[in-house]
Amino acid sequence: MKKYIPLQNEIQLLKSDISTAHLWLEEAIAGDKYVDIKKDVMIPFQHAAFNTYVENSSTVFDSKIDEFFLGELKDIDTKLTDFYHLAKERWEKSELHGIGSSLDQKFDKEFNTILTQIDMVSSQVNKKLSEELAQRNYNFAWIIGLFLLVNLIVFTMLYVSTRRQQLQQLLIHEEKERAVVTLRSIGDAVITTDIKGYITFFNDVAEKLTEYTMEEVQGQPIDSVLRLYNIKTGERVFTPISDVLDKGITKLISNGTKLVSKSGKEYILNDSAAPVLSEEGEILGTVLVFQNDTKRHEMEENIRQSEEKYRSLVENIRQHYFLYTHDIHGVFTYLSHSMTDVLGYTVEEFKSHYTTYHTDDPINENVEKFTEECISGKQHAPYDISIYHKNGDVRYLEVSESPVFNNKNEVISIEGVARDITQNYLDQLHLKEQKELLDYKAHYDTLTDLPNRQLFLDRLSMSIKKAQRLDEKVAVLFIDLDHFKEINDSLGHQTGDEVLKEVSTKLSEQIRDTDTLARLGGDEFILIIDRLHDTSIVVDIVEKMMDVMNDPLTIDNQQLYITLSIGITLYPDDGDVSENLLKNADAAMYKAKDDGRNTYCFYTEKMTEKAFERIMMETSLRQALKNEEFLVYYQPQFNGIDESIIGLEALIRWQHPTMGLVSPLSFITLAEETGFIVLMDQWMMRTAMSQMARWYEDGFTPGTLGLNVSMKQIRQPDFISIISSMIKETGCKSEWLVFEVPESQIMINPEHSIQVLQGLSDMGIKLAIDDFGTGYSSLSYLKRLPIDTIKIDKSFVKGLPEDREDAGIVRSLIILAKSLDLDIIAEGAETLEQKLFLLENGCQNIQGYFYAKPITVVDMEKMLQDI
């Protein structure tokens, strides 16, 4: 009996293979995208046809087996070979043209004939098995088990026909490891979640597309990992898992959806989300199966563009046109005879480089660029060119070009269509000029070329909206010329007009590029100053305008002195709509006139007093250095592990004779705006460096001295030589010094900053970026800067450890510093919890009120003595 069993197994495997392959072929033709036609269909058919079950079966033959079986199997083998080629033909024709009924009938007939013959042979083998069983009385139960095992194998192979159901059932299958291997081996991206939408599985394809690893995303909300966007609108799109979990249905991801990976790469997606169900029908989670559909999308887009191109080409044919071809060097190789009608040249006269007859019209600036793009294989939209007619006239052509490829996909020439659009182009140009002229007259004052009231109100409205969004202020200045009516009455309106033009020119020269100066009418001007964070800028601009008017105007050989009365309102302090701001500025202007003219007045008395205080503060600030009113305070920096002092930061304070100790917030900005910061910084540096040298001479070890350096200092041409002289004069060693430069100021002119800071570094001075994290530094520049230390800004330390955003930023900055091999120190630590958080995350250098506030030189020396 044993010699028939392998034969029966071979026959059953043969039938199973061709049945499964036949099933896969039917599903592939029906459009199942999960069928691998080569792997699932053609290879099994080929295996059945050419691996010759006859040879495998013959290994179990002996002289006692009827040669009938060998003959039948050889006949089946011959038919399988023919059937393999028929299956291949059926697939290829279905892929290209669909299935014909005659081929279908022939295929099904051959398939059924083979199965019938296999069943007949199987029946004969079973008969032999039965006879052998009767003779030898083998264990009947063993034969039944073997038969069931063979049929179980056949059933399992047929079960593969529905891959998507298998993916979903594998998630709840007891053999988890086997399921994971299967999910990782398929060609589509697979992501599973629990019932809360948190990721539980992420296969290799999903990792490749998103650029996240399984370890990074496990337990994360799926919508925080899959960044999906609508291709056309750019709006964020979310996965449909909420509907899947709520309704237990399969849903497609929206058409036209793109995935943005961690590094910013974009992929077009296509597929669906489905629920994962238990045997009882309970929803256990979801499974997302998707594939990279980018190539298909690009193919469709190329087809669409091609259709548009040929539609445009057909439209061109209806007009006066000519066809041409030029090689990749730009020399015409073909010109249709209609070119002569358009441009007047004969074909032979025009056969030269395509730019030969171009005019110098700016419209031709990008022609060579477009041509080079076409030669590189790119397709671009039609464009216009200007070219000389043979009679010397200028013609305007609309040109549509396409690259021509050889069989190696190399561009060998350019084919194009040129359409004469001269009249239409000139009409459009004239219409545009008329429209621009009308628009200019509608929005600009014809006398001064300044914006008129309408344009002013539009810009003021835009400035208010921007200020609302960015939490900024806007100033509105109402400017009136004093005694202008007397000039008009005595010297005439023509002289008055010249005065208005001269005044508008002078005022325009004193304002920023972002500000808007307009003329309302008569002798009234109005100014918008937006993007304000410090209202003192308003006073600076006002004083500049008033100062420039101190010089007389020369009109028709007459010198005229003009003064200004200016009213000022601020958004949102004095109004939140344009009309109110304008009205209040007008009222403040009249208050300035009441105060004697040639002055300015804020809408509120409080603002007028503040402006006066600023003028007084500036005067006092300049006297402070002469009167030795400045002091240097020191704030120690600690090693949070052993509590030792590692350095000091020098901070300037102002001991005013009447106002007492003035906060740096009240005068540092003013000092920077007036340029006084340079002298003030130099005094503080010299004082602190001298003190540092004395402490080391007295045997103290204060560590390094941190000195704040403004960009106005760095921009001084002799800055390096001044620092070098200070070091020699004070006896302070360069290795004791750390110059701290704000990140935001470095990025104003990074190339210059790199050059100057490198000079300081070459002297042995350490460099630190102050307030790091607030200035949007470019990492490329950060690597080039010769810095040694990063100071984490106190605004990020303040929220530690409760604020998750601050905590994440601080951790990232620490990691960044370590990756760049830089020291790091956190400023602004005030609590034990903040200190412990910094230490736990690798930042051991700490500065802040938790250890000490800025203190006087006496108190600092006492602290050094106590260590």
Side-chain angles (χ1 to χ4, degrees):
M1 176 176 175
K2 292 184 180 179
K3 56 180 170 288
Y4 290 106
I5 292 173
L7 176 60
Q8 179 71 312
N9 288 344
E10 293 293 336
I11 294 171
Q12 292 299 329
L13 288 175
L14 170 62
K15 182 177 180 181
S16 174
D17 274 355
I18 66 173
S19 295
T20 302
H22 176 261
L23 180 59
W24 280 126
L25 178 61
E26 293 297 327
E27 296 209 7
I29 293 172
D32 191 336
K33 69 180 73 175
Y34 290 97
V35 175
D36 186 330
I37 191 65
K38 180 179 179 181
K39 175 183 175 184
D40 295 334
V41 179
M42 289 303 150
I43 291 179
F45 273 151
Q46 188 176 16
H47 180 269
F50 301 118
N51 198 41
T52 62
Y53 286 87
V54 174
E55 293 181 7
N56 294 337
S57 302
S58 66
T59 60
V60 300
F61 285 180
D62 59 28
S63 60
K64 296 180 181 180
I65 295 179
D66 195 335
E67 290 298 323
F68 164 79
F69 296 120
L70 181 60
E72 288 296 321
L73 288 174
K74 287 182 178 180
D75 185 48
I76 290 171
D77 185 50
T78 301
K79 290 180 179 179
L80 279 174
T81 301
D82 296 335
F83 186 68
Y84 162 73
H85 293 293
L86 184 61
K88 185 175 182 183
E89 177 187 3
R90 188 169 188 252
W91 165 249
E92 291 172 347
K93 290 189 175 182
S94 69
E95 187 175 30
L96 295 175
H97 310 293
I99 303 298
S101 59
S102 60
L103 184 58
D104 280 346
Q105 293 171 2
K106 181 179 180 182
F107 180 83
D108 292 339
K109 181 179 178 181
E110 291 295 328
F111 177 71
N112 291 329
T113 300
I114 293 173
L115 288 184
T116 300
Q117 191 168 1
I118 291 175
D119 288 340
M120 185 272 289
V121 175
S122 177
S123 176
Q124 292 296 326
V125 173
N126 284 336
K127 182 177 179 182
K128 287 290 184 179
L129 286 172
S130 297
E131 293 173 356
E132 194 74 18
L133 177 64
Q135 294 174 4
R136 301 190 183 186
N137 198 21
Y138 274 97
N139 189 319
F140 182 72
W142 183 86
I143 297 174
I144 294 299
L146 179 61
F147 178 76
L148 291 175
L149 178 61
V150 171
N151 281 276
L152 177 61
I153 294 171
V154 174
F155 176 79
T156 301
M157 295 177 70
L158 294 174
Y159 185 70
V160 178
S161 64
T162 54
R163 182 182 297 181
R164 188 169 298 174
Q165 288 82 354
Q166 181 188 32
L167 289 177
Q168 296 169 352
Q169 294 302 322
L170 279 173
L171 294 175
I172 58 174
H173 201 280
E174 293 178 355
E175 299 178 9
K176 183 176 180 181
E177 295 299 321
R178 184 176 168 187
V180 169
V181 171
T182 302
L183 291 173
R184 288 192 179 281
S185 66
I186 67 175
D188 295 338
V190 180
I191 303 175
T192 65
T193 74
D194 59 20
I195 58 175
K196 294 182 179 180
Y198 293 104
I199 295 174
T200 56
F201 178 78
F202 212 70
N203 78 345
D204 296 344
V205 180
E207 289 183 348
K208 182 178 180 181
L209 290 178
T210 63
E211 299 177 3
Y212 290 101
T213 64
M214 176 66 179
E215 291 73 16
E216 289 178 306
V217 303
Q218 191 167 21
Q220 297 295 319
I222 190 167
D223 282 321
S224 69
V225 175
L226 288 186
R227 295 187 294 160
L228 305 176
Y229 299 88
N230 185 284
I231 298 173
K232 294 182 178 178
T233 66
E235 294 178 351
R236 181 71 189 271
V237 177
F238 296 95
T239 61
I241 64 168
S242 57
D243 283 347
V244 174
L245 292 171
D246 291 343
K247 302 176 183 178
I249 59 175
T250 298
K251 288 204 68 174
L252 295 176
I253 296 175
S254 302
N255 289 333
T257 300
K258 67 179 178 182
L259 166 70
V260 179
S261 70
K262 188 198 307 189
S263 67
K265 294 180 180 178
E266 296 181 357
Y267 303 95
I268 309 301
L269 300 186
N270 177 29
D271 225 298
S272 61
V276 177
L277 304 176
S278 67
E279 293 181 357
E280 295 77 21
E282 178 185 1
I283 296 177
L284 303 177
T286 65
V287 57
L288 250 71
V289 181
F290 58 92
Q291 58 187 199
N292 181 1
D293 208 24
T294 305
K295 290 185 177 179
R296 184 190 65 80
H297 179 80
E298 291 176 349
M299 185 181 300
E300 291 177 349
E301 180 63 19
N302 289 335
I303 293 172
R304 184 190 66 79
Q305 292 179 0
S306 179
E307 289 175 348
E308 290 181 355
K309 182 189 70 174
Y310 285 107
R311 191 180 301 114
S312 174
L313 184 60
V314 170
E315 189 65 26
N316 285 339
I317 292 174
R318 299 175 184 173
Q319 303 293 330
H320 206 188
Y321 74 98
F322 65 90
L323 305 177
Y324 65 87
T325 303
H326 66 69
D327 59 24
I328 60 174
H329 303 295
V331 178
F332 288 112
T333 57
Y334 167 78
L335 289 159
S336 65
H337 291 287
S338 56
M339 181 276 300
T340 303
D341 297 329
V342 177
L343 296 176
Y345 304 95
T346 65
V347 170
E348 293 303 318
E349 287 175 336
F350 204 71
K351 273 192 176 181
S352 58
H353 194 271
Y354 68 91
T355 60
T356 302
Y357 297 99
H358 282 192
T359 71
D360 57 358
D361 192 313
I363 196 176
N364 293 329
E365 287 179 352
N366 292 319
V367 172
E368 293 187 7
K369 173 188 171 185
F370 292 151
T371 303
E372 289 300 322
E373 289 177 354
C374 201
I375 291 173
S376 68
K378 296 180 181 178
Q379 184 74 43
H380 55 73
Y383 59 91
D384 299 339
I385 65 171
S386 171
I387 197 165
Y388 286 112
H389 190 278
K390 186 175 182 179
N391 64 13
D393 292 343
V394 174
R395 289 286 187 271
Y396 292 92
L397 307 178
E398 182 188 69
V399 173
S400 300
E401 294 182 327
S402 300
V404 179
F405 299 87
N406 60 16
N407 56 7
K408 296 181 181 180
N409 204 32
E410 299 171 334
V411 176
I412 57 175
S413 62
I414 303 298
E415 289 183 346
V417 178
R419 181 168 65 98
D420 186 357
I421 60 169
T422 303
Q423 190 58 51
N424 182 62
Y425 184 90
L426 294 177
D427 290 343
Q428 292 294 325
L429 187 62
H430 179 69
L431 183 62
K432 180 182 178 183
E433 291 172 350
Q434 290 296 316
K435 184 179 179 181
E436 289 175 349
L437 179 60
L438 292 173
D439 184 74
Y440 184 86
K441 289 181 177 180
H443 295 94
Y444 288 87
D445 174 55
T446 56
L447 178 65
T448 62
D449 291 329
L450 293 176
N452 60 15
R453 184 186 187 93
Q454 180 180 342
L455 183 55
F456 168 82
L457 290 175
D458 288 342
R459 291 188 179 178
L460 180 56
S461 178
M462 292 173 58
S463 295
I464 290 173
K465 290 178 181 178
K466 186 188 299 182
Q468 287 175 337
R469 188 172 65 253
L470 302 177
D471 193 24
E472 296 175 339
K473 292 182 182 293
V474 178
V476 177
L477 280 64
F478 202 110
I479 306 167
D480 187 83
L481 308 189
D482 297 330
H483 306 294
F484 180 75
K485 187 175 183 301
E486 298 175 9
I487 295 175
N488 256 346
D489 293 344
S490 60
L491 301 177
H493 290 285
Q494 184 173 351
T495 301
D497 288 347
E498 292 300 317
V499 168
L500 291 174
K501 289 194 286 187
E502 286 291 321
V503 170
S504 67
T505 300
K506 284 180 173 290
L507 296 183
S508 298
E509 292 171 350
Q510 309 309 313
I511 63 176
R512 304 174 306 175
D513 292 338
T514 56
D515 301 333
T516 296
L517 178 66
R519 182 187 176 214
L520 292 186
D523 63 339
E524 294 177 340
F525 296 85
I526 197 155
L527 175 65
I528 302 171
I529 305 175
D530 59 3
R531 304 184 66 178
L532 287 176
H533 296 284
D534 183 359
T535 54
S536 62
I537 294 175
V538 178
V539 176
D540 290 339
I541 293 176
V542 169
E543 290 182 345
K544 286 180 181 179
M545 290 192 299
M546 299 189 76
D547 288 342
V548 77
M549 297 308 299
N550 288 334
D551 297 328
L553 304 179
T554 302
I555 308 294
D556 294 333
N557 297 321
Q558 298 183 75
Q559 288 192 335
L560 302 175
Y561 287 88
I562 302 296
T563 59
L564 308 175
S565 292
I566 303 175
I568 307 167
T569 55
L570 293 175
Y571 167 87
D573 307 58
D574 306 322
D576 55 3
V577 295
S578 301
E579 291 78 5
N580 289 344
L581 290 170
L582 198 58
K583 178 184 66 176
N584 293 339
D586 185 48
M589 183 272 293
Y590 279 105
K591 178 65 168 59
K593 284 187 176 294
D594 291 341
D595 289 343
R597 291 182 169 83
N598 193 25
T599 188
Y600 60 91
C601 179
F602 284 92
Y603 174 66
T604 64
E605 196 69 22
K606 182 178 179 181
M607 291 296 296
T608 303
E609 292 173 359
K610 187 173 181 180
F612 179 76
E613 290 173 2
R614 182 179 183 276
I615 296 173
M616 298 301 297
M617 178 71 76
E618 182 178 348
T619 303
S620 298
L621 192 61
R622 295 188 180 279
Q623 294 294 323
L625 191 60
K626 184 188 299 182
N627 297 337
E628 298 182 348
E629 296 170 8
F630 291 118
L631 303 172
V632 179
Y633 275 43
Y634 300 88
Q635 186 173 29
Q637 300 165 340
F638 287 80
N639 182 313
I641 297 177
D642 61 17
E643 305 296 330
S644 63
I645 293 178
I646 59 171
L648 316 170
E649 181 178 2
L651 302 165
I652 195 165
R653 295 294 184 266
W654 182 9
Q655 186 67 47
H656 193 276
T658 58
M659 293 187 290
L661 194 63
V662 181
S663 168
L665 297 176
S666 301
F667 66 90
I668 291 296
T669 301
L670 179 60
E672 289 178 340
E673 292 173 356
T674 59
F676 185 70
I677 191 73
V678 175
L679 294 175
M680 193 171 68
D681 274 358
Q682 291 178 3
W683 174 87
M684 188 191 72
M685 286 180 178
R686 187 175 284 104
T687 303
M689 289 163 66
S690 298
Q691 184 61 56
M692 196 70 170
R694 284 195 291 272
W695 276 331
Y696 270 100
E697 187 177 347
D698 293 340
F700 299 114
T701 54
T704 58
L705 173 65
L707 295 171
N708 291 288
V709 181
S710 71
M711 287 307 295
K712 287 189 183 297
Q713 281 269 65
I714 292 178
R715 292 193 192 103
Q716 299 299 310
D718 56 351
F719 176 65
I720 297 293
S721 62
I722 290 175
I723 297 302
S724 179
S725 299
M726 283 186 185
I727 291 174
K728 293 178 182 177
E729 293 170 10
T730 61
C732 181
K733 296 182 179 180
S734 58
E735 58 263 31
W736 297 342
L737 299 176
V738 178
F739 279 14
E740 299 178 7
V741 184
E743 179 190 21
S744 57
Q745 294 191 25
I746 289 177
M747 297 314 298
I748 294 174
N749 189 346
E751 293 295 341
H752 178 71
S753 299
I754 291 171
Q755 182 180 356
V756 176
L757 295 179
Q758 186 61 57
L760 294 173
S761 179
D762 293 342
M763 294 170 61
I765 298 173
K766 291 184 174 61
L767 301 170
I769 295 185
D770 199 9
D771 305 331
F772 189 74
T774 64
Y776 307 101
S777 291
S778 165
L779 290 180
S780 61
Y781 280 116
L782 188 61
K783 291 193 299 183
R784 293 174 56 197
L785 289 169
I787 59 173
D788 306 280
T789 304
I790 286 176
K791 292 192 76 173
I792 301 176
D793 186 67
K794 61 185 177 183
S795 63
F796 300 126
V797 177
K798 182 179 180 180
L800 298 178
E802 295 83 8
D803 190 306
R804 293 179 59 186
E805 186 174 350
D806 285 346
I809 291 173
V810 170
R811 287 192 188 100
S812 299
L813 294 178
I814 293 172
I815 292 172
L816 175 63
K818 290 186 176 181
S819 68
L820 296 175
D821 198 24
L822 300 175
D823 292 330
I824 190 162
I825 182 170
E827 58 181 353
E830 298 181 359
T831 66
L832 177 61
E833 291 78 9
Q834 291 170 350
K835 170 194 169 182
L836 294 176
F837 177 91
L838 292 168
L839 290 177
E840 289 171 0
N841 286 278
C843 178
Q844 64 185 43
N845 299 327
I846 302 172
Q847 176 183 346
Y849 283 9
F850 175 78
Y851 284 109
K853 296 181 178 180
I855 55 179
T856 65
V857 64
V858 175
D859 292 336
M860 188 67 248
E861 188 165 313
K862 185 176 183 303
M863 182 180 288
L864 292 172
Q865 290 173 344
D866 294 338
I867 294 177

